[in-house]
Amino acid sequence: MSKIILGNKVKLYRNIDGKNFVNTMSDEELRENLEFLDPIIRGMGYENLDIEKMTSLKKLNLIEEGRLGKSFVEEKNIGFYQKVDEPDILINSSEHLELSKFSRTQSLDELYKEIYDLEGRLEENINFAFSPEYGYLTSRVFNAGTGFKPIAFLYLPALNYFGINEIAKGLSRLGYTLGSYRDSSKKALASIYTLSFESTLTEEEGSYIEKLKLISDEIADVERENRKKLYLDNIISLEDMVNRSYGLLANARLLSEEEMMQSMSMINLGIELSILKPNREFDFYQEIMKLRNGHLQIERGSILDLKSRDILRANKSRALMKEVFK
């Protein structure tokens, strides 16, 4: 995995033949769906994590990891199943079944194989809704056909600096969606973007994987060229942004999640452009996840108010900077 392509994720949506879609199901129908699927999934060695009994901290951590959606955890008659090194399984999310897995090390091809191996085992006991004309049926037309959604996670600080809107518009015209973490002002956080397809209706899964890999590599090349431009034409501004970010992380007594994410991203760019010299490997994505609200509170073992979180985050950030740059 390159330092620009941070990771990959795949999702697969499936519905049970003859049943209404989740968005039109009654509570009783949702419960029947859960009761039908639960023993099948457990029989494959999966563990059911009871979301209704799950602590708020655990829910927050799973949401931050991208394994659960905020709206999903608030619903009733839902199921979340996990198994070591296997894709997660969600019941009654946007569809009857959602299989998903994110990896920092596995390729899209490897994740694709895992997802479809799992789907094949499920299909031994479940008849999925399928149309010879439209393929696998889903409540959202864009997800029909393959029901397959590959996603690439990209780190694009230089493109973010110079403005990424035109590239996003161009990708949209080609059928791609470029999304990002957003703060309350809608500003992209940490320059981390997700690249996926608006629709996977008309082609085979392998075609979408190859297209996504190709466009990800092309975007990575454009990012590298923009980094050169940023370094050569704006070196003083770049050094100022990098060193201000380092100063904040190394000295702050109160540090918000948004400030942390932005600053981590900037010092990582400084490391990759040799403005800063770390004494050990620095995985900024991993370090960001360790300093997010959910992880901090789970590590502490209690719900913290905003100020307490910001104090704890600042303490850990200062210690991290001393360790990485001592």
Side-chain angles (χ1 to χ4, degrees), residues 27-103:
D27 287 344
E28 183 179 353
E29 288 174 318
L30 290 168
R31 185 169 56 255
E32 289 175 355
N33 205 38
L34 181 59
E35 291 172 350
F36 168 69
L37 291 169
D38 178 82
I40 295 173
I41 296 170
R42 286 177 182 270
M44 296 166 59
Y46 271 80
E47 174 192 6
N48 175 35
L49 276 67
D50 192 332
I51 294 176
E52 289 189 13
K53 296 180 180 178
M54 194 180 291
T55 66
S56 298
L57 290 179
K58 181 61 176 177
K59 290 179 185 177
L60 178 58
N61 196 49
L62 290 168
I63 289 169
E64 287 181 350
E65 290 177 350
R67 296 174 66 187
L68 296 179
K70 289 181 180 179
S71 59
F72 179 73
V73 300
E74 296 172 354
E75 298 294 332
K76 295 181 178 180
N77 299 309
I78 54 175
F80 173 54
Y81 299 79
Q82 67 175 14
K83 184 179 178 182
V84 177
D85 296 328
E86 294 275 348
D88 291 337
I89 302 177
L90 275 65
I91 295 177
N92 294 339
S93 181
S94 58
E95 312 296 341
H96 297 157
L97 279 165
E98 178 183 321
L99 319 180
S100 69
K101 187 176 183 182
F102 169 75
S103 176

Coordinates of all heavy atoms in Angstrom, one line a residue, residues 27-103:
D27 N -41.7 -3.4 12.0 CA -40.9 -3.9 13.0 C -40.9 -5.4 13.1 O -39.9 -6.1 13.4 CB -41.3 -3.3 14.4 CG -40.9 -1.8 14.5 OD1 -40.1 -1.4 13.7 OD2 -41.4 -1.1 15.4
E28 N -42.1 -6.0 12.9 CA -42.3 -7.4 13.0 C -41.5 -8.1 11.9 O -40.8 -9.1 12.1 CB -43.8 -7.8 12.9 CG -44.0 -9.3 13.1 CD -45.5 -9.7 13.0 OE1 -46.3 -8.8 13.0 OE2 -45.8 -10.9 13.0
E29 N -41.6 -7.6 10.7 CA -40.8 -8.1 9.6 C -39.3 -8.0 9.8 O -38.6 -9.0 9.4 CB -41.2 -7.4 8.3 CG -42.6 -7.7 7.8 CD -43.0 -6.9 6.6 OE1 -42.7 -5.7 6.6 OE2 -43.6 -7.4 5.6
L30 N -38.9 -6.9 10.3 CA -37.4 -6.8 10.6 C -37.0 -7.8 11.6 O -35.9 -8.4 11.5 CB -37.2 -5.4 11.1 CG -37.3 -4.2 10.1 CD1 -37.3 -2.9 10.9 CD2 -36.2 -4.3 9.1
R31 N -37.8 -8.0 12.6 CA -37.5 -9.0 13.7 C -37.5 -10.4 13.1 O -36.6 -11.2 13.4 CB -38.5 -8.9 14.8 CG -38.2 -9.8 16.0 CD -39.0 -9.5 17.2 NE -40.5 -9.6 16.9 CZ -41.3 -8.6 16.8 NH1 -40.8 -7.3 16.9 NH2 -42.6 -8.7 16.5
E32 N -38.4 -10.7 12.2 CA -38.4 -12.1 11.6 C -37.2 -12.3 10.7 O -36.6 -13.4 10.7 CB -39.7 -12.2 10.7 CG -41.0 -12.3 11.5 CD -42.2 -12.3 10.6 OE1 -42.0 -12.1 9.4 OE2 -43.3 -12.6 11.2
N33 N -36.8 -11.2 10.0 CA -35.6 -11.3 9.2 C -34.3 -11.6 10.1 O -33.5 -12.4 9.7 CB -35.4 -9.9 8.5 CG -34.6 -10.1 7.2 OD1 -34.7 -11.0 6.5 ND2 -33.8 -9.1 6.9
L34 N -34.2 -10.9 11.2 CA -33.1 -11.1 12.1 C -33.1 -12.5 12.7 O -32.1 -13.2 12.7 CB -33.2 -10.0 13.2 CG -32.1 -10.1 14.3 CD1 -30.8 -9.8 13.7 CD2 -32.4 -9.0 15.4
E35 N -34.3 -13.0 13.0 CA -34.4 -14.3 13.6 C -34.1 -15.4 12.6 O -33.6 -16.5 12.9 CB -35.8 -14.5 14.2 CG -36.1 -13.7 15.4 CD -37.6 -13.8 15.9 OE1 -38.4 -14.3 15.1 OE2 -37.9 -13.3 16.9
F36 N -34.4 -15.1 11.3 CA -34.1 -16.1 10.3 C -32.5 -16.1 10.0 O -32.0 -17.2 9.8 CB -34.8 -15.7 9.0 CG -34.3 -16.5 7.8 CD1 -34.6 -17.8 7.6 CD2 -33.6 -15.8 6.7 CE1 -34.1 -18.5 6.5 CE2 -33.2 -16.5 5.6 CZ -33.4 -17.8 5.5
L37 N -31.9 -15.0 9.9 CA -30.5 -14.9 9.6 C -29.5 -15.2 10.7 O -28.4 -15.7 10.5 CB -30.2 -13.5 9.0 CG -30.8 -13.2 7.7 CD1 -30.6 -11.7 7.3 CD2 -30.2 -14.0 6.5
D38 N -30.0 -14.9 11.9 CA -29.1 -15.1 13.1 C -28.4 -16.5 13.2 O -27.2 -16.6 13.3 CB -29.8 -14.7 14.4 CG -29.0 -14.9 15.6 OD1 -28.1 -14.0 15.9 OD2 -29.1 -15.9 16.3
P39 N -29.2 -17.6 13.2 CA -28.6 -18.9 13.4 C -27.7 -19.3 12.2 O -26.8 -20.0 12.4 CB -29.8 -19.8 13.5 CG -31.0 -19.1 12.9 CD -30.7 -17.6 13.1
I40 N -28.0 -18.8 11.0 CA -27.2 -19.1 9.8 C -25.8 -18.5 10.0 O -24.8 -19.1 9.8 CB -27.9 -18.5 8.5 CG1 -29.2 -19.3 8.3 CG2 -26.9 -18.7 7.4 CD1 -30.0 -18.7 7.1
I41 N -25.8 -17.2 10.4 CA -24.5 -16.5 10.6 C -23.7 -17.1 11.8 O -22.5 -17.3 11.7 CB -24.8 -15.0 10.7 CG1 -25.4 -14.5 9.4 CG2 -23.5 -14.3 11.0 CD1 -25.9 -13.1 9.5
R42 N -24.4 -17.3 12.9 CA -23.7 -17.9 14.0 C -23.2 -19.3 13.7 O -22.1 -19.7 14.2 CB -24.7 -18.1 15.2 CG -25.1 -16.8 15.9 CD -26.1 -17.1 17.0 NE -26.6 -15.9 17.7 CZ -26.0 -15.4 18.8 NH1 -24.9 -16.0 19.3 NH2 -26.5 -14.3 19.4
G43 N -23.9 -20.0 12.9 CA -23.4 -21.4 12.5 C -22.1 -21.3 11.6 O -21.5 -22.4 11.5
M44 N -21.8 -20.1 11.2 CA -20.5 -20.0 10.4 C -19.4 -19.5 11.3 O -18.3 -19.1 10.8 CB -20.8 -19.0 9.3 CG -21.8 -19.5 8.2 SD -22.4 -18.2 7.1 CE -20.8 -17.6 6.4
G45 N -19.6 -19.5 12.6 CA -18.6 -19.1 13.6 C -18.5 -17.7 13.9 O -17.6 -17.2 14.5
Y46 N -19.6 -16.9 13.5 CA -19.6 -15.5 13.8 C -20.1 -15.2 15.2 O -21.0 -16.0 15.7 CB -20.4 -14.8 12.8 CG -19.7 -14.3 11.6 CD1 -19.4 -15.2 10.6 CD2 -19.2 -13.0 11.5 CE1 -18.6 -14.8 9.4 CE2 -18.5 -12.5 10.4 CZ -18.2 -13.4 9.4 OH -17.5 -13.0 8.3
E47 N -19.7 -14.1 15.8 CA -20.2 -13.7 17.1 C -21.1 -12.5 16.9 O -20.8 -11.6 16.2 CB -19.0 -13.2 18.0 CG -19.4 -12.6 19.3 CD -18.2 -11.9 20.0 OE1 -17.1 -11.8 19.4 OE2 -18.4 -11.4 21.1
N48 N -22.3 -12.6 17.6 CA -23.2 -11.5 17.6 C -22.9 -10.4 18.7 O -22.8 -10.8 19.9 CB -24.6 -12.0 17.8 CG -25.7 -10.9 17.9 OD1 -25.5 -9.9 17.3 ND2 -26.7 -11.1 18.8
L49 N -22.7 -9.2 18.3 CA -22.4 -8.1 19.2 C -23.8 -7.4 19.4 O -24.3 -6.7 18.5 CB -21.4 -7.1 18.7 CG -19.9 -7.5 19.0 CD1 -19.5 -8.8 18.2 CD2 -19.0 -6.4 18.6
D50 N -24.4 -7.6 20.6 CA -25.7 -7.0 20.9 C -25.6 -5.5 21.0 O -25.1 -5.0 22.0 CB -26.2 -7.6 22.1 CG -27.7 -7.3 22.4 OD1 -28.2 -6.2 21.9 OD2 -28.4 -8.1 23.0
I51 N -26.0 -4.8 20.0 CA -25.8 -3.3 20.0 C -26.7 -2.6 21.0 O -26.2 -1.7 21.6 CB -26.2 -2.8 18.6 CG1 -25.1 -3.3 17.6 CG2 -26.2 -1.2 18.6 CD1 -25.4 -2.9 16.1
E52 N -27.9 -3.2 21.3 CA -28.7 -2.6 22.4 C -28.1 -2.6 23.7 O -28.3 -1.8 24.6 CB -30.1 -3.3 22.4 CG -30.9 -2.9 21.2 CD -32.4 -3.4 21.3 OE1 -32.7 -3.8 22.4 OE2 -33.1 -3.5 20.3
K53 N -27.2 -3.7 24.0 CA -26.6 -3.8 25.3 C -25.2 -3.2 25.3 O -24.5 -3.2 26.3 CB -26.5 -5.3 25.7 CG -27.9 -5.9 25.9 CD -27.8 -7.4 26.3 CE -29.2 -8.0 26.6 NZ -29.1 -9.4 26.9
M54 N -24.7 -2.8 24.1 CA -23.4 -2.3 24.0 C -23.2 -0.9 24.6 O -24.1 -0.1 24.6 CB -23.0 -2.2 22.4 CG -21.6 -2.0 22.1 SD -21.4 -1.9 20.3 CE -21.8 -3.6 19.8
T55 N -22.1 -0.7 25.2 CA -21.9 0.6 25.9 C -21.8 1.7 24.8 O -21.4 1.5 23.7 CB -20.6 0.6 26.7 OG1 -19.4 0.5 25.8 CG2 -20.6 -0.5 27.7
S56 N -22.0 3.0 25.2 CA -21.9 4.1 24.3 C -20.5 4.2 23.8 O -20.3 4.6 22.7 CB -22.4 5.4 25.1 OG -23.7 5.3 25.4
L57 N -19.5 3.9 24.7 CA -18.1 4.0 24.3 C -17.8 3.1 23.2 O -17.1 3.4 22.2 CB -17.2 3.8 25.5 CG -17.2 4.9 26.6 CD1 -16.2 4.4 27.7 CD2 -16.7 6.2 26.0
K58 N -18.3 1.8 23.3 CA -18.0 0.8 22.3 C -18.7 1.2 21.0 O -18.0 1.0 19.9 CB -18.5 -0.6 22.8 CG -18.3 -1.7 21.8 CD -16.8 -2.0 21.6 CE -16.6 -3.2 20.7 NZ -15.2 -3.4 20.4
K59 N -19.9 1.7 21.0 CA -20.6 2.1 19.8 C -19.8 3.2 19.1 O -19.6 3.2 17.9 CB -22.0 2.6 20.2 CG -23.0 1.6 20.6 CD -24.3 2.2 20.9 CE -25.3 1.2 21.4 NZ -26.6 1.9 21.8
L60 N -19.3 4.2 19.9 CA -18.6 5.3 19.4 C -17.3 4.9 18.7 O -16.9 5.3 17.6 CB -18.2 6.3 20.5 CG -17.4 7.6 20.1 CD1 -18.1 8.3 19.0 CD2 -17.2 8.5 21.3
N61 N -16.6 3.9 19.3 CA -15.4 3.4 18.8 C -15.6 2.7 17.4 O -14.9 2.9 16.5 CB -14.7 2.4 19.7 CG -13.3 2.2 19.4 OD1 -12.5 3.1 19.2 ND2 -12.9 0.9 19.4
L62 N -16.7 1.9 17.4 CA -17.0 1.2 16.1 C -17.4 2.2 15.0 O -17.1 1.9 13.8 CB -18.1 0.2 16.4 CG -17.7 -1.0 17.2 CD1 -19.0 -1.8 17.6 CD2 -16.8 -1.9 16.4
I63 N -18.1 3.2 15.4 CA -18.5 4.3 14.4 C -17.2 5.0 13.9 O -17.1 5.2 12.7 CB -19.5 5.3 15.1 CG1 -20.8 4.6 15.3 CG2 -19.6 6.5 14.2 CD1 -21.8 5.5 16.2
E64 N -16.3 5.3 14.8 CA -15.1 6.0 14.4 C -14.2 5.1 13.5 O -13.6 5.6 12.5 CB -14.3 6.4 15.6 CG -14.8 7.6 16.3 CD -14.0 8.0 17.5 OE1 -13.1 7.2 17.9 OE2 -14.3 9.0 18.1
E65 N -14.3 3.8 13.7 CA -13.5 2.8 12.9 C -14.2 2.6 11.5 O -13.6 2.0 10.6 CB -13.4 1.5 13.6 CG -12.5 1.5 14.8 CD -12.4 0.2 15.5 OE1 -13.3 -0.7 15.2 OE2 -11.6 0.0 16.4
G66 N -15.4 3.2 11.3 CA -16.2 3.0 10.1 C -16.9 1.7 9.9 O -17.3 1.3 8.9
R67 N -17.0 0.9 11.0 CA -17.6 -0.4 11.0 C -19.1 -0.3 11.1 O -19.9 -1.2 10.7 CB -17.0 -1.3 12.0 CG -15.5 -1.6 11.8 CD -14.9 -2.4 12.9 NE -15.5 -3.8 13.0 CZ -15.2 -4.6 13.9 NH1 -14.4 -4.2 14.9 NH2 -15.7 -5.8 13.9
L68 N -19.6 0.8 11.8 CA -21.0 1.0 12.0 C -21.4 2.4 11.7 O -20.5 3.3 11.8 CB -21.4 0.7 13.4 CG -21.3 -0.7 13.9 CD1 -21.7 -0.8 15.4 CD2 -22.1 -1.7 13.1
G69 N -22.6 2.7 11.2 CA -23.1 4.0 10.9 C -23.8 4.6 12.1 O -24.4 3.8 12.9
K70 N -23.8 5.9 12.3 CA -24.5 6.5 13.4 C -26.0 6.2 13.5 O -26.5 5.9 14.5 CB -24.3 8.0 13.4 CG -22.9 8.5 13.7 CD -22.8 10.0 13.6 CE -21.4 10.5 13.9 NZ -21.3 12.0 13.8
S71 N -26.6 6.2 12.3 CA -28.0 5.9 12.3 C -28.3 4.5 12.5 O -29.4 4.1 13.2 CB -28.6 6.3 10.9 OG -28.0 5.6 9.9
F72 N -27.4 3.6 12.1 CA -27.7 2.1 12.3 C -27.8 1.8 13.8 O -28.6 1.0 14.2 CB -26.5 1.4 11.6 CG -26.6 -0.1 11.8 CD1 -27.6 -0.9 11.1 CD2 -25.8 -0.8 12.6 CE1 -27.7 -2.2 11.2 CE2 -25.9 -2.2 12.8 CZ -26.8 -2.9 12.0
V73 N -26.9 2.3 14.6 CA -26.8 1.9 16.0 C -28.1 2.4 16.8 O -28.3 1.9 17.9 CB -25.5 2.4 16.7 CG1 -24.3 1.8 16.0 CG2 -25.5 3.9 16.7
E74 N -28.8 3.3 16.2 CA -30.0 3.8 16.9 C -31.3 3.0 16.5 O -32.3 3.3 17.1 CB -30.2 5.3 16.5 CG -29.0 6.2 17.0 CD -29.1 7.6 16.5 OE1 -30.0 7.9 15.7 OE2 -28.3 8.4 16.9
E75 N -31.2 2.1 15.6 CA -32.3 1.4 15.1 C -32.6 0.1 16.0 O -31.7 -0.3 16.7 CB -32.1 0.9 13.7 CG -32.0 2.1 12.7 CD -33.3 2.9 12.5 OE1 -34.3 2.3 12.8 OE2 -33.2 4.1 12.2
K76 N -33.8 -0.4 15.9 CA -34.1 -1.7 16.6 C -34.1 -2.8 15.5 O -34.2 -2.6 14.3 CB -35.4 -1.6 17.3 CG -35.4 -0.5 18.4 CD -36.8 -0.5 19.1 CE -36.8 0.5 20.2 NZ -38.1 0.6 20.9
N77 N -34.1 -4.1 16.1 CA -34.1 -5.2 15.2 C -33.0 -5.3 14.2 O -33.2 -5.5 13.0 CB -35.5 -5.3 14.5 CG -36.6 -5.4 15.5 OD1 -36.6 -6.3 16.4 ND2 -37.6 -4.6 15.3
I78 N -31.8 -5.0 14.6 CA -30.6 -5.0 13.8 C -29.6 -6.0 14.3 O -29.7 -6.4 15.5 CB -30.0 -3.6 13.7 CG1 -29.7 -3.1 15.1 CG2 -30.8 -2.6 13.0 CD1 -28.9 -1.8 15.2
G79 N -28.7 -6.4 13.5 CA -27.7 -7.3 13.9 C -26.3 -6.9 13.4 O -26.2 -6.5 12.3
F80 N -25.3 -7.1 14.3 CA -23.9 -6.8 13.9 C -23.1 -8.0 14.3 O -23.0 -8.4 15.5 CB -23.4 -5.6 14.6 CG -21.9 -5.3 14.4 CD1 -21.4 -5.2 13.1 CD2 -21.1 -5.1 15.5 CE1 -20.1 -5.0 12.9 CE2 -19.8 -4.9 15.3 CZ -19.2 -4.8 14.0
Y81 N -22.4 -8.7 13.4 CA -21.7 -9.9 13.6 C -20.2 -9.7 13.2 O -20.0 -9.1 12.1 CB -22.3 -11.1 12.8 CG -23.7 -11.3 13.3 CD1 -24.8 -10.5 12.8 CD2 -24.0 -12.4 14.1 CE1 -26.1 -10.8 13.2 CE2 -25.3 -12.6 14.5 CZ -26.4 -11.8 14.1 OH -27.7 -12.1 14.5
Q82 N -19.3 -10.3 14.0 CA -17.9 -10.2 13.6 C -17.2 -11.6 13.8 O -17.7 -12.4 14.6 CB -17.2 -9.1 14.4 CG -17.1 -9.4 15.9 CD -16.3 -8.4 16.7 OE1 -16.0 -7.3 16.2 NE2 -15.9 -8.7 17.9
K83 N -16.1 -11.7 13.1 CA -15.3 -12.9 13.2 C -13.9 -12.5 12.9 O -13.7 -11.7 11.9 CB -15.8 -14.0 12.3 CG -15.1 -15.4 12.4 CD -15.7 -16.4 11.4 CE -15.0 -17.7 11.5 NZ -15.5 -18.7 10.5
V84 N -12.9 -13.0 13.6 CA -11.5 -12.6 13.4 C -11.1 -12.8 12.0 O -11.3 -13.9 11.4 CB -10.6 -13.4 14.4 CG1 -9.1 -13.0 14.1 CG2 -11.0 -13.1 15.9
D85 N -10.5 -11.7 11.4 CA -10.0 -11.8 10.1 C -11.0 -12.0 9.0 O -10.7 -12.3 7.8 CB -8.9 -12.8 9.9 CG -7.7 -12.5 10.8 OD1 -7.4 -11.3 11.0 OD2 -7.0 -13.4 11.3
E86 N -12.3 -11.9 9.3 CA -13.4 -12.1 8.3 C -14.1 -10.8 8.2 O -14.1 -9.9 9.0 CB -14.3 -13.2 8.8 CG -13.8 -14.6 8.8 CD -13.8 -15.3 7.5 OE1 -14.5 -14.8 6.6 OE2 -13.2 -16.3 7.4
P87 N -14.9 -10.6 7.0 CA -15.7 -9.4 6.9 C -16.8 -9.3 8.0 O -17.2 -10.3 8.5 CB -16.3 -9.6 5.5 CG -15.4 -10.5 4.8 CD -14.9 -11.4 5.8
D88 N -17.1 -8.1 8.3 CA -18.3 -7.9 9.2 C -19.6 -8.2 8.5 O -19.7 -8.0 7.3 CB -18.3 -6.4 9.7 CG -17.2 -6.1 10.7 OD1 -16.6 -7.0 11.3 OD2 -16.9 -4.9 10.8
I89 N -20.6 -8.5 9.2 CA -21.9 -8.8 8.7 C -22.9 -7.9 9.4 O -23.0 -8.0 10.7 CB -22.4 -10.2 8.7 CG1 -21.4 -11.1 8.0 CG2 -23.8 -10.4 8.2 CD1 -21.7 -12.6 8.1
L90 N -23.7 -7.1 8.7 CA -24.8 -6.3 9.3 C -26.1 -6.8 8.8 O -26.3 -7.1 7.6 CB -24.6 -4.8 8.9 CG -23.7 -4.0 9.8 CD1 -22.3 -4.4 9.7 CD2 -23.8 -2.5 9.4
I91 N -27.1 -6.9 9.7 CA -28.5 -7.3 9.3 C -29.4 -6.1 9.5 O -29.3 -5.4 10.5 CB -29.0 -8.5 10.2 CG1 -28.1 -9.7 9.9 CG2 -30.4 -8.8 9.9 CD1 -28.5 -10.9 10.8
N92 N -30.2 -5.9 8.5 CA -31.2 -4.8 8.5 C -30.6 -3.4 8.6 O -31.1 -2.5 9.3 CB -32.2 -5.0 9.7 CG -33.1 -6.3 9.5 OD1 -33.2 -6.8 8.4 ND2 -33.6 -6.8 10.6
S93 N -29.5 -3.3 7.9 CA -28.9 -1.9 7.7 C -29.7 -1.3 6.6 O -30.9 -1.2 6.6 CB -27.4 -2.0 7.4 OG -26.9 -0.8 7.3
S94 N -29.1 -0.8 5.5 CA -29.8 -0.3 4.4 C -30.4 -1.5 3.6 O -31.4 -1.3 2.9 CB -28.9 0.5 3.5 OG -27.8 -0.3 3.0
E95 N -29.8 -2.7 3.7 CA -30.4 -3.9 3.0 C -30.5 -5.0 4.0 O -30.0 -4.8 5.2 CB -29.5 -4.3 1.8 CG -29.1 -3.2 0.9 CD -30.2 -2.5 0.1 OE1 -31.3 -3.2 0.0 OE2 -30.0 -1.4 -0.4
H96 N -31.0 -6.1 3.6 CA -31.2 -7.2 4.6 C -29.8 -7.7 5.1 O -29.6 -7.9 6.3 CB -31.8 -8.4 3.9 CG -33.2 -8.2 3.5 ND1 -33.9 -8.9 2.5 CD2 -34.2 -7.3 3.9 CE1 -35.1 -8.4 2.3 NE2 -35.3 -7.4 3.1
L97 N -28.8 -7.7 4.2 CA -27.5 -8.1 4.6 C -26.5 -7.1 4.0 O -26.6 -6.8 2.8 CB -27.1 -9.5 4.1 CG -27.6 -10.7 4.9 CD1 -27.5 -12.0 4.0 CD2 -26.8 -10.9 6.1
E98 N -25.5 -6.7 4.8 CA -24.4 -5.9 4.3 C -23.1 -6.6 4.8 O -22.9 -6.7 6.0 CB -24.5 -4.5 4.8 CG -23.3 -3.6 4.4 CD -23.4 -2.2 4.9 OE1 -24.5 -1.7 5.0 OE2 -22.4 -1.7 5.3
L99 N -22.2 -7.0 3.9 CA -20.9 -7.5 4.2 C -19.9 -6.5 4.0 O -19.9 -5.8 2.9 CB -20.6 -8.8 3.4 CG -21.8 -9.8 3.1 CD1 -21.2 -10.9 2.3 CD2 -22.3 -10.3 4.4
S100 N -18.9 -6.3 4.9 CA -17.9 -5.2 4.6 C -16.6 -5.5 5.4 O -16.6 -6.2 6.4 CB -18.4 -3.9 5.1 OG -18.6 -3.8 6.5
K101 N -15.5 -5.0 4.8 CA -14.2 -5.2 5.4 C -13.3 -4.1 4.9 O -13.3 -3.8 3.7 CB -13.6 -6.5 5.1 CG -12.3 -6.8 5.9 CD -11.7 -8.2 5.7 CE -10.5 -8.3 6.5 NZ -9.8 -9.7 6.3
F102 N -12.6 -3.5 5.9 CA -11.6 -2.4 5.6 C -10.2 -3.0 6.0 O -10.1 -3.7 6.9 CB -11.9 -1.2 6.4 CG -10.7 -0.2 6.4 CD1 -10.5 0.6 5.3 CD2 -9.9 0.0 7.5 CE1 -9.5 1.5 5.2 CE2 -8.9 0.9 7.5 CZ -8.7 1.7 6.3
S103 N -9.2 -2.7 5.1 CA -7.9 -3.1 5.4 C -6.8 -2.1 5.0 O -7.0 -1.5 4.0 CB -7.6 -4.5 4.7 OG -6.2 -4.9 4.9

